[in-house]
Amino acid sequence: MRQKPYAPGPQGQAAPHGPVPDTQRPGGDVDQAPTAPVRRPVVQTPQGHAPATPTAPPRHPAYSRGPHGPMPYRPAPGMPPPMPPPSGGRTFLSVLWSLVPLGTMGLLTPVSFLYAALKLRTQTAWAALALYLVGTVTMVASGPSGPLGEALFIASMLLNTLGGTAHAFTIRRRVFPRPDPVAYRNDQAIQFAQHRRELRQEARELAEQDPGLALELRIGRPDLPRRYDDGGLVDMNHAPAAVIATLPGMTAELVEQILQARQTVSTFSSALEVCVTADLPADLTSTLTEYTVYLP
């Protein structure tokens, strides 16, 4: 858009900066008036408060937006009672075990080191057991029988009491090792998987005994909002393709075969029927038996 050059205003005064309005332009050469930019109203907010931003409308709880469209809703799986974490109980037992020689004045030192020898199963542990056993026998056999007997008694008592206590504190970490955190997490994972298997078995039994209640509880329908935890079952007669695709070993082609077969037979009755009707691989039969349910 062409603009007029600077021109003096009336009585020698300079015209204001910017484009000259059409009504004030001499010579009859009229340009199109420039369009003023559209200004959006500014919302005044109280000092110290952030301006309100529009929020997205709430979505249905049955779906959450994923990279390829709505994703099925999955309730939080039920957790079994947690295993007791590694605590100071073993530390207390190890300290108590180490104080047995001191607390019994050396008489039960062989008992403590018999436990250590059985746990460690090393030649050094068996040799220590033999040494403290000799010390205990010497303490009992010597008694007050003159200076030599008193010397043997004191020496064996010091050996079994002080020496046994120091020795026990030295090896107590080996006798009472700390739990491995990796092994602890693996035990937790195994316990969780076993608990989920029990939930699936209970849900299948409920579906066999009372199909109507199973439908009301939405067993096998993780795509719908629900409160009952079925352990991860999938209802092969009613679940959509997105849910069937979450089963182990499933591919898009196999899901399509299952949906076509379901339209043909209307309802399935077992995992074997699904595999035969939909022409699925034979190794999927055990997987479907474990993770699927068949409601009317």
Side-chain angles (χ1 to χ4, degrees):
M1 180 175 56
R2 185 168 57 86
Q3 299 180 358
K4 287 294 183 176
Y6 170 80
Q11 300 179 357
Q13 296 179 358
H17 293 284
V20 181
D22 296 340
T23 56
Q24 298 181 7
R25 292 180 182 175
D29 188 5
V30 178
D31 291 335
Q32 184 179 1
T35 304
V38 179
R39 295 184 179 180
R40 297 180 180 180
V42 179
V43 179
Q44 299 294 333
T45 57
Q47 187 176 1
H49 295 272
T53 56
T55 57
R59 297 175 180 173
H60 193 275
Y63 290 95
S64 60
R65 179 63 58 180
H68 303 291
M71 300 296 292
Y73 165 81
R74 293 185 179 276
M79 291 292 293
M83 294 177 60
S87 60
R90 297 182 66 87
T91 303
F92 174 76
L93 289 177
S94 66
V95 172
L96 185 62
W97 172 83
S98 302
L99 291 176
V100 167
L102 183 63
T104 61
M105 300 300 293
L107 292 176
L108 296 183
T109 301
V111 177
S112 295
F113 280 87
L114 175 61
Y115 179 80
L118 293 175
K119 289 292 295 291
L120 300 178
R121 297 186 179 276
T122 60
Q123 294 182 356
T124 304
W126 290 109
L129 171 61
L131 176 63
Y132 296 122
L133 185 59
V134 170
T136 302
V137 173
T138 304
M139 288 174 59
V140 176
S142 60
S145 57
L148 180 59
E150 292 180 0
L152 291 176
F153 177 81
I154 294 174
S156 58
M157 185 183 66
L158 292 177
L159 172 67
N160 279 26
T161 304
L162 300 182
T165 303
H167 190 183
F169 272 101
T170 303
I171 65 174
R172 73 183 182 93
R173 291 296 186 188
R174 296 170 54 196
V175 179
F176 296 87
R178 293 180 178 177
D180 185 6
V182 176
Y184 173 75
R185 289 194 296 269
N186 289 342
D187 292 340
Q188 286 283 78
I190 293 174
Q191 184 188 20
F192 177 71
Q194 292 175 346
H195 178 68
R196 301 287 290 169
R197 178 180 295 176
E198 294 174 358
L199 290 178
R200 290 193 293 271
Q201 182 61 29
E202 293 176 0
R204 276 192 293 265
E205 294 176 357
L206 188 150
E208 293 177 0
Q209 298 172 2
D210 194 343
L213 179 60
L215 288 172
E216 184 176 353
L217 294 175
R218 294 172 178 174
I219 291 178
R221 296 299 305 274
D223 56 306
L224 299 178
R226 58 180 182 174
R227 301 180 64 181
Y228 184 82
D229 186 5
D230 56 15
L233 288 177
V234 174
D235 184 5
M236 296 296 287
N237 291 329
H238 303 90
V243 176
I244 299 177
T246 61
L247 291 171
M250 281 294 166
T251 61
E253 293 77 10
L254 297 179
V255 173
E256 185 63 28
Q257 294 175 205
I258 293 174
L259 294 180
Q260 293 178 0
R262 189 168 70 181
Q263 293 179 355
T264 303
V265 301
S266 180
T267 57
F268 299 112
S269 59
S270 65
L272 181 60
E273 182 182 356
V274 174
C275 291
V276 173
T277 307
D279 193 20
L280 303 181
D283 56 352
L284 281 180
T285 305
S286 59
T287 301
L288 295 181
T289 303
E290 176 65 29
Y291 291 101
T292 58
V293 68
Y294 301 88
L295 295 176

